[in-house]
Amino acid sequence: MTTSTGRADAAQRPMSLSPSRASDFMRCPLLYRFRVIDKLPEKPSEAATRGTLVHAVLERLFDDPATERTAPRARAMVPGQWDRLLESKPELVELFAEDPRGERLSHWLEQAEELVERWFTLEDPTRLEPAERELFVETELQSGLRLRGIIDRVDVTPSGDVRVVDYKTGKAPRPEYAEGALFQMKFYALVIWRWKGLVPRRLQLVYLGSGDVLTYDPVEEDLERVERKLLALWDAIKEATETGEWLPRRTKLCGWCDYQAVCPEFGGTPPVYPLSVRPAESAGEDQGRMGPV
């Protein structure tokens, strides 16, 4: 079925799952649809862009010899990495379009520098030689589900133990929400296990916003549970894709969503669904209740 907007030719059915998109669906199935099926644009945010900038600095710092990986050196890298980011994504200039004197930009860059500097209180880069940085990982499960993602850093000890590290520029979650925060890391651990046949020794989340480090040592039973959860999640995504039934789910995060204008929860109307559908039966009944792993 071709829609009146002609978008059916451009739209594609989901072919793989990443931690971010899995989290989107668990948070709000309609959000997943807008990002994956409709590919609706989103405005860049200062917080997300600052996270990208800090990640770039921490990645490139390891290009330098160990003795040169200092906090002043890392802070000094921030403006240059911001220029590189603008070159690759010119649209980011809109973030500070209404800042003619550059005061907001200066404060924003200073915040990024502070996050970078705080990292040195949590880890010692002079003693680290990452095996991988910004590593793209991908594997296909026996079910045919393809999992993929990008890991910030992978450390390997001389004995072969693997540590998966992810930087977060926000604050660490409260203990009752730690399990949800580890979902992304368990996802990566599952991919590595099914891809390489080994379970990472440690998963580590480094929260630069609060100066906390959250660690978890997974075992195979953990990852098997994650795999079952992802398979159930993928079944729900396929069902929604085939029926076109993507249920919105209102949460505290809706206030930061760019799609309120087209969300029924806020009086909006989603764009015409760009894929062919079959008649809905009992599709989507549990979409809004997918819990964290």
Side-chain angles (χ1 to χ4, degrees):
M1 179 179 72
T2 302
T3 69
S4 60
T5 62
R7 293 185 301 123
D9 292 337
Q12 294 183 341
R13 297 177 183 276
M15 301 298 293
S16 63
L17 196 59
S18 69
S20 297
R21 299 294 78 82
S23 295
D24 283 348
F25 191 85
M26 289 188 288
R27 168 182 157 189
C28 172
L30 187 59
L31 172 65
Y32 177 97
R33 178 203 145 169
F34 287 157
R35 283 178 167 165
V36 177
I37 306 294
D38 298 288
K39 294 182 171 58
L40 300 183
E42 295 178 81
K43 297 178 181 178
S45 73
E46 291 187 18
T49 304
R50 182 167 50 239
T52 301
L53 174 58
V54 170
H55 276 71
V57 171
L58 298 186
E59 178 194 1
R60 291 185 177 275
L61 183 67
F62 285 103
D63 290 338
D64 295 334
T67 56
E68 297 180 15
R69 298 171 196 162
T70 65
R73 164 66 176 153
R75 287 188 67 119
M77 292 173 63
V78 170
Q81 289 303 311
W82 170 236
D83 290 339
R84 291 173 64 98
L85 194 56
L86 281 177
E87 289 178 6
S88 62
K89 297 181 177 181
E91 66 273 14
L92 294 179
V93 73
E94 298 176 9
L95 285 172
F96 304 100
E98 298 180 5
D99 181 32
R101 300 177 60 181
E103 294 176 348
R104 271 185 42 234
L105 173 59
S106 178
H107 178 64
W108 182 82
L109 289 172
E110 184 177 350
Q111 289 177 319
E113 291 171 2
E114 290 171 353
L115 291 171
V116 167
E117 188 169 30
R118 184 170 293 141
W119 176 60
F120 286 80
T121 68
L122 306 174
E123 296 190 288
D124 182 358
T126 66
R127 302 179 62 183
L128 295 171
E129 291 297 341
E132 300 287 351
R133 289 171 278 155
E134 294 294 312
L135 174 66
F136 175 78
V137 293
E138 184 177 43
T139 193
E140 185 173 307
L141 304 180
Q142 288 186 346
S143 66
L145 171 58
R146 184 168 294 276
L147 305 177
R148 59 176 61 189
I150 298 177
I151 300 174
D152 288 345
R153 199 180 86 219
V154 178
D155 302 332
V156 180
T157 67
S159 62
D161 287 339
V162 172
R163 178 173 61 180
V164 178
V165 181
D166 193 74
Y167 309 120
K168 298 296 184 185
T169 50
K171 296 181 179 180
R174 295 200 299 267
E176 60 266 33
Y177 297 113
E179 187 68 17
L182 283 168
F183 168 71
Q184 174 186 15
M185 305 304 285
K186 291 182 179 181
F187 186 108
Y188 291 146
L190 172 62
V191 173
I192 292 174
W193 182 37
R194 292 308 190 197
W195 176 32
K196 295 292 188 179
L198 61 89
V199 176
R201 175 68 180 82
R202 173 154 293 182
L203 309 177
Q204 180 168 302
L205 283 164
V206 181
Y207 286 93
L208 304 176
S210 57
D212 296 297
V213 176
L214 176 63
T215 62
Y216 183 79
D217 297 341
V219 294
E220 290 186 4
E221 290 78 8
D222 289 335
L223 304 187
E224 287 171 348
R225 285 193 292 270
V226 174
E227 185 169 15
R228 290 193 295 270
K229 182 71 173 183
L230 290 174
L231 291 175
L233 190 68
W234 189 243
D235 284 342
I237 290 173
K238 289 193 297 184
E239 182 73 7
T241 302
E242 293 172 2
T243 64
E245 294 291 330
W246 301 89
L247 301 181
R249 181 174 179 234
R250 186 185 282 260
T251 70
K252 295 179 181 178
L253 299 176
C254 289
W256 286 273
C257 182
D258 276 355
Y259 302 133
Q260 290 187 15
V262 290
C263 177
E265 289 291 311
F266 295 88
T269 301
V272 176
Y273 192 55
L275 299 175
S276 59
V277 300
R278 64 172 171 77
E281 299 171 350
S282 59
E285 291 181 359
D286 296 323
Q287 288 184 22
R289 297 198 294 271
M290 298 300 295
V293 175

